[in-house]
Amino acid sequence: MDKICVLRKLVPSLRGNSVRALQTLSRKPLFGLTTSLHARCMGSHGPPAHWKPLNQICLENKNHMNCMPVPQGSWQESYDKQQKKWNLMLAAGVVAFGITYFILYKSGCIMLFSYDDYQTFKTKVAGVELQAKTVEKDEESLQQEGTDQNQNNNSSDGLAESVDEGDKAAEAVELPEIPSHAQYLLVGAGTAAFGAFRAIKARDPKAKILIIGEEDSVPYMRPPLSKELWFNENKEEVEELQFRQWNGKKRSVYYEPQEFFADPKTLNTLKNGGIALLSGKKVVKLDAGNKTVWLASGEKITYEKCLLAPGGKPRNLPVLAKASDEVRERTVLYRTISDFKKLDSMVEKSDSVAIIGGGFLGSELACALGRKAKKSGLKVYQLFPENGNMGKVLPEYLSKWTTRKVENEGVEVLSNNSVNKADFVDGKVVLSTKEGKTVKVDCVVAAVGLEPNIELAKSSNLEIDDSNGGFLVNAELEARRDLWVAGDAACFYDVKLGRRRVEHHDHAVVSGRLAGENMTGAAKPYWHQSMFWSDLGPDVGYEAIGIVDSSLRTVAVFATASEKDTPKAVVEETGEGLRSETEASASPVANSKGKPSALDSEDYGKGIVFYLNDKASVVGILLWNTFNKMPIARQVLRDGARNEDLYEVAKLFDIYDSLADAVEDEKEASSSS
């Protein structure tokens, strides 16, 4: 009993529950106590009758393994089932990791490099760190100074600052001449590219833009090459490609000077971004899937966003292309600055020149050279197969009137003549026509149209529009993901007039600007109806919009012109020679001062010509010596003006200066009828 008392002190579970304590002791003896103590501890009378025997209690509490699971099937089946479960979990983990890695890569958190690219990247990073330390004070002073300047000056200062930074980095770190990567890549250095990089910089001030151009020149405007440059009598200014607008203001054909552009090799090191130009380089292939372009010199450049603006090349007549070397040397396919310089030099040494083509370019050059010939004695010929100048655009009566205007400038116009032979005889180029005419000249200008540059589309498996030509793009000017096309080579979907391709200055500006905005995420469709214009010297000019085709039915309203109704007058008033810029600021609302009426006389001083389709809807409008009314024309074209009284529509353009003029013109029209 003494042992029991000691045990009860040692084991708390014995207190107050003797039966459970004894059961525990019966399963595992402790300190040598036996199960016989069970009956002894309860006294001499023995256990109650309802108690179970001790052996039964021990058997019921015997240890067993009923808690362990029993495998079903063979061991191999259980193993395969468990492995399949873990394999599925592993595959799900790999997929989740891949998705996470892809998201991080696209967001720019991580980058992938080959070994060479990684070495280049480390070099660029080192250059950025170095230039950041050396120009920190200069940045602060320039930013403080630029706060009082307008947006254009701020942009120029930022570019100059970025160029300085890149130069300092280039001095310390040797960088490749051609960068291997571009954030924004513009293929083509014409007007469309100019509009694009301005739009990109406006929406992304720190953008890094790389322009690749085939010509050894910065981007320039083409209209003065066939207009104002020929009227400038200052040879030094002409050599510098400076022209005088009709109001006498001097301008350059270049959009920006060479100093505006950053060095290509330091472009990716510029903290505030910049615009770099690779001139004299040609892109020969593009991989839209891998966002890579290849140059003719062998280098490859990757990009994030790319714009193709290759423009077009002038067509040539087969008879000239197959002529002798002497004829080809004296033939100019007029398009570029080098073509202007070549023709200008040839004209200075020549006694006669022939212009083949009666369209915009041919007629403008004919008027320009004709006026120049009045002082120099140069003989100017113009040959074309149509009935009159710009016969594919203007109604026949207006085309003939224009032809007489060109003839009055001193040009001998040979309409309805197609050149079918070109020989070189006695130092002269002899042109023969199917109609039996022969012309002997010292040089020839071929102005017979434009072909879009689509070689890159063929080598890069990009779609080409079979009917209109050019790269096939959607309404947002996108040909592929992160790949846009603008300018003369883009065949786009016009939401109003269907699929089109336009070859004019204003379209290059507008489409380039739209592509630049979409490259920065704007996602805008092409809706702006671009206009075009042509000047036959400072006295006669016209603007047009939409589908302007002489084969369509036309309705015209004319009025007597005044001294204010000339290209020279509108430039003097607005101070801007590019009328695609002046029309943007014109008011879209006009009030009619009188009732317009059609004139049957041949005094086509100024007026409006409506071009109608087979549904009697207005699809094109030509403003003859009527300026700064393009917003009204754009609104009429947008509305369609179907089956409407076009004489009433013409009131919107307010072509009459007074009610008296309208009444007088109406009397003239009634008397002539």
Side-chain angles (χ1 to χ4, degrees), residues 412-488:
E412 183 174 340
V413 179
L414 300 177
S415 57
N416 297 306
N417 275 272
S418 301
V419 177
N420 64 349
K421 189 176 181 181
D423 299 315
F424 187 72
V425 180
D426 297 333
K428 296 281 187 178
V429 177
V430 181
L431 300 177
S432 303
T433 68
K434 295 179 181 179
E435 292 72 21
K437 298 285 186 177
T438 301
V439 174
K440 295 182 180 181
V441 293
D442 295 306
C443 58
V444 179
V445 180
V448 291
L450 191 72
E451 294 179 355
N453 285 324
I454 57 175
E455 290 82 3
L456 191 57
K458 296 178 179 178
S459 64
S460 306
N461 297 321
L462 300 175
E463 289 90 344
I464 301 173
D465 187 88
D466 295 331
S467 57
N468 298 295
F471 293 75
L472 190 64
V473 298
N474 59 17
E476 296 177 6
L477 304 180
E478 197 170 17
R480 287 284 194 279
R481 183 178 179 85
D482 296 330
L483 178 65
W484 289 261
V485 186
D488 299 336

Side-chain angles (χ1 to χ4, degrees), residues 49 58 63 139 266 275 285 345 353 368 380 390 428 584 587 608:
C58 292
N63 292 334
E139 287 180 359
T266 63
I275 304 170
K285 187 179 179 181
S345 176
V353 58
V380 181
M390 291 175 285
K428 296 281 187 178
S587 174
I608 314 296

Side-chain angles (χ1 to χ4, degrees), residues 593 656-666:
K593 297 179 181 178
Y656 288 94
D657 295 328
S658 66
L659 181 61
D661 293 338
V663 174
E664 182 179 352
D665 288 341
E666 186 174 1

Side-chain angles (χ1 to χ4, degrees), residues 107-212:
S107 63
C109 296
I110 59 175
M111 292 180 286
L112 298 177
F113 295 101
S114 65
Y115 180 76
D116 293 337
D117 291 338
Y118 180 66
Q119 294 298 326
T120 302
F121 175 75
K122 289 198 301 182
T123 303
K124 293 177 181 178
V125 171
V128 172
E129 293 177 351
L130 179 62
Q131 57 86 17
K133 294 179 181 179
T134 56
V135 303
E136 182 177 358
K137 294 183 179 180
D138 293 338
E139 287 180 359
E140 295 177 356
S141 60
L142 286 174
Q143 291 176 357
Q144 181 65 29
E145 180 181 350
T147 55
D148 297 331
Q149 298 178 352
N150 57 29
Q151 182 178 1
N152 292 333
N153 290 336
N154 283 336
S155 176
S156 300
D157 291 344
L159 289 172
E161 176 187 347
S162 298
V163 171
D164 292 340
E165 294 174 0
D167 291 341
K168 293 178 181 179
E171 292 176 359
V173 181
E174 185 177 355
L175 299 174
E177 293 293 333
I178 298 177
S180 60
H181 181 76
Q183 181 185 9
Y184 295 96
L185 179 64
L186 310 183
V187 179
T191 298
F194 167 73
F197 75 65
R198 290 186 64 181
I200 293 172
K201 270 295 185 180
R203 293 174 57 89
D204 186 1
K206 293 188 177 182
K208 298 179 177 66
I209 306 171
L210 178 63
I211 307 173
I212 303 177

